[in-house]
Amino acid sequence: MTPRVRIPFLRDPRTCEEVRSLMTGYLDRDLEPASLRRVERHVRFCPRCRRVLSNLRTTIERLAHIEPPAPAGDEVIDRIRTSWRDRDE
Amino acid sequence: MRLEQDDELVASAREGDERAFDELVSRHARRVYALVVRLVVDRTAAEDVAQETFVRAWRALPSFRGDAQFSTWLYRIAVNEANRLLAREARREIVSYEDVMVQVPDLSADVPARAESSETRRLLESLLAELPGHYRAAVVLRDVEGFTNEEAAHLLELDLRNFKSRLHRGRMVFRHRLEDLSP
C-alpha cells in the first residue's frame, strides 16, 4: 500500500483578507452571528490570522492605556478665553 | 452660591449673556483642548483650533437646539475644526497594513500594557501621532477617549458604516506599526 502523502493545506489569501476585515467588528462584538462564527472558524486553522487577531486585541488594550496629553496650562486657557472675548463680530 | 448647570448657562448665553458663555468657556476649554491636541498633535495648532471652536460655538449658539448635551455639541465643532486643519495638511494616502502571507510577531509576548515603561508609552504616543489624521481621529475618539461608535461617528460627521471602516483601518495600521517595532 502506498503511503498517504500529506498535502499542505493551502489557504486562500482572499479568505484571510476577508476575515481580517471583520476583526474590528469581531472584537467589538458587533458582527452578525454567521460572521462571528466565520472569524472563529478561520482563526482556529490559520495561525497568521490568529496572531493578527490577538495583536489587534493587544493594540486596542494599549490604546486604551495611553496617557492623556499634558493638560493645557492656565496661560493657554487664558488665551482661549481672550480670543473669544476679542472676536470680530 | 449655587453653581449654574450648563443648560442654564446655555439658555442665558443664547439670550446674549456673554458672562454665561464665558463661564462655559472656562468649564470646557481644558477638555476641548485635550481632545483637539490628540487629533492635531501640535500644541500650538491645537490652541488655535480650541480658540476657533469657542468663537464658532458662540456664533452658532442660536442654532443649538439642546437635543444633545452642550459638551457633545461643542466637541463636534472642535472635531470639525480639527478636521478642517488636518484636511489642509492631509495627503489622503492609502496606507498599506497587510500582507496576509507574511509572518506576524506576537505582541502579547511584549511587556503587558499596564506595566509599560515611560519609553514604551512615548513610543505609543509617537506611533499614534504618526497615523494619518483621518485614521487617528477615529482611533483617538473610539479607543483612546472611549466614545462609542455612534458618538464618534456623530462627532466626525460620518455615517456609522464609514466610521467603522475607518476605525478598523486605523487600528490595523497601528497594529502593523507596533508589529514592525516588535523584536
Side-chain angles (χ1 to χ4, degrees):
Chain A
M1 193 174 125
T2 27
R4 281 181 64 185
V5 179
R6 196 178 169 133
I7 300 170
F9 175 63
L10 295 177
R11 256 175 291 278
D12 181 350
R14 286 171 303 183
T15 309
C16 295
E17 280 182 6
E18 283 169 28
V19 166
R20 290 184 191 189
S21 74
L22 297 172
M23 285 182 176
T24 272
Y26 177 81
L27 292 174
D28 289 347
R29 288 287 177 241
D30 188 22
L31 285 184
E32 297 293 322
S35 299
L36 204 84
R37 282 195 298 276
R38 184 162 182 228
V39 174
E40 285 173 348
R41 208 167 38 237
H42 179 83
V43 298
R44 201 173 304 142
F45 297 106
C46 176
R48 289 194 179 98
C49 286
R50 187 161 61 243
R51 183 66 60 79
V52 167
L53 183 63
S54 159
N55 286 354
L56 188 61
R57 185 181 284 117
T58 304
T59 298
I60 295 167
E61 284 166 7
R62 289 182 165 205
L63 284 164
H65 289 100
I66 286 185
E67 290 189 355
D74 290 342
E75 70 287 354
V76 172
I77 302 302
D78 286 345
R79 284 197 293 271
I80 292 171
R81 292 177 73 181
T82 305
S83 159
W84 169 72
R85 288 174 184 152
D86 296 348
R87 71 200 175 277
D88 297 322
E89 289 293 359
Chain B
M1 196 175 80
R2 191 178 74 87
L3 195 66
E4 287 178 277
Q5 300 292 317
D6 272 6
D7 52 358
E8 295 173 287
L9 291 169
V10 169
S12 301
R14 279 167 60 97
E15 303 287 315
D17 182 348
E18 296 196 3
R19 179 208 57 82
F21 194 76
D22 198 48
E23 174 60 23
L24 289 166
V25 177
S26 296
R27 284 186 190 183
H28 293 280
R30 275 180 214 283
R31 182 73 183 90
V32 164
Y33 176 83
L35 177 63
V36 167
V37 82
R38 280 276 189 231
L39 300 176
V40 302
V41 181
D42 180 83
R43 295 181 78 87
T44 307
E47 191 176 323
D48 290 343
V49 169
Q51 289 180 7
E52 188 60 23
T53 296
F54 286 102
V55 173
R56 282 185 182 267
W58 168 256
R59 289 185 186 140
L61 207 52
S63 70
F64 175 62
R65 296 191 306 274
D67 45 7
Q69 284 192 348
F70 174 73
S71 57
T72 305
W73 181 77
L74 193 60
Y75 297 159
R76 188 166 181 172
I77 296 174
V79 171
N80 206 336
E81 282 303 303
N83 276 342
R84 278 156 52 101
L85 179 92
L86 291 171
R88 286 199 290 273
E89 300 169 353
R91 291 165 297 144
R92 283 273 196 261
E93 77 259 55
I94 300 299
V95 181
S96 165
Y97 59 83
E98 215 61 285
D99 173 351
V100 294
M101 301 310 284
V102 299
Q103 290 298 331
V104 183
D106 182 5
L107 291 179
S108 66
D110 295 349
V111 184
R114 280 167 216 279
E116 273 163 356
S117 66
S118 56
E119 189 185 345
T120 312
R121 281 201 299 269
R122 274 197 296 277
L123 179 70
L124 292 173
E125 293 274 354
S126 67
L127 280 182
L128 188 60
E130 286 165 13
L131 274 186
H134 53 300
Y135 293 156
R136 186 169 63 245
V139 167
V140 161
L141 293 173
R142 179 71 171 84
D143 293 330
V144 181
E145 297 290 334
F147 289 102
T148 63
N149 283 336
E150 288 76 10
E151 289 166 338
H154 173 77
L155 290 173
L156 288 169
E157 299 182 12
L158 291 172
D159 66 46
L160 195 55
R161 186 188 160 95
N162 279 338
F163 171 77
K164 287 177 183 176
S165 164
R166 199 175 287 191
L167 173 68
H168 176 69
R169 292 193 68 86
R171 283 173 170 178
M172 291 295 259
V173 171
F174 195 91
R175 170 194 63 81
H176 195 248
R177 291 182 179 178
L178 267 180
E179 286 169 355
D180 282 347
L181 295 168
S182 191

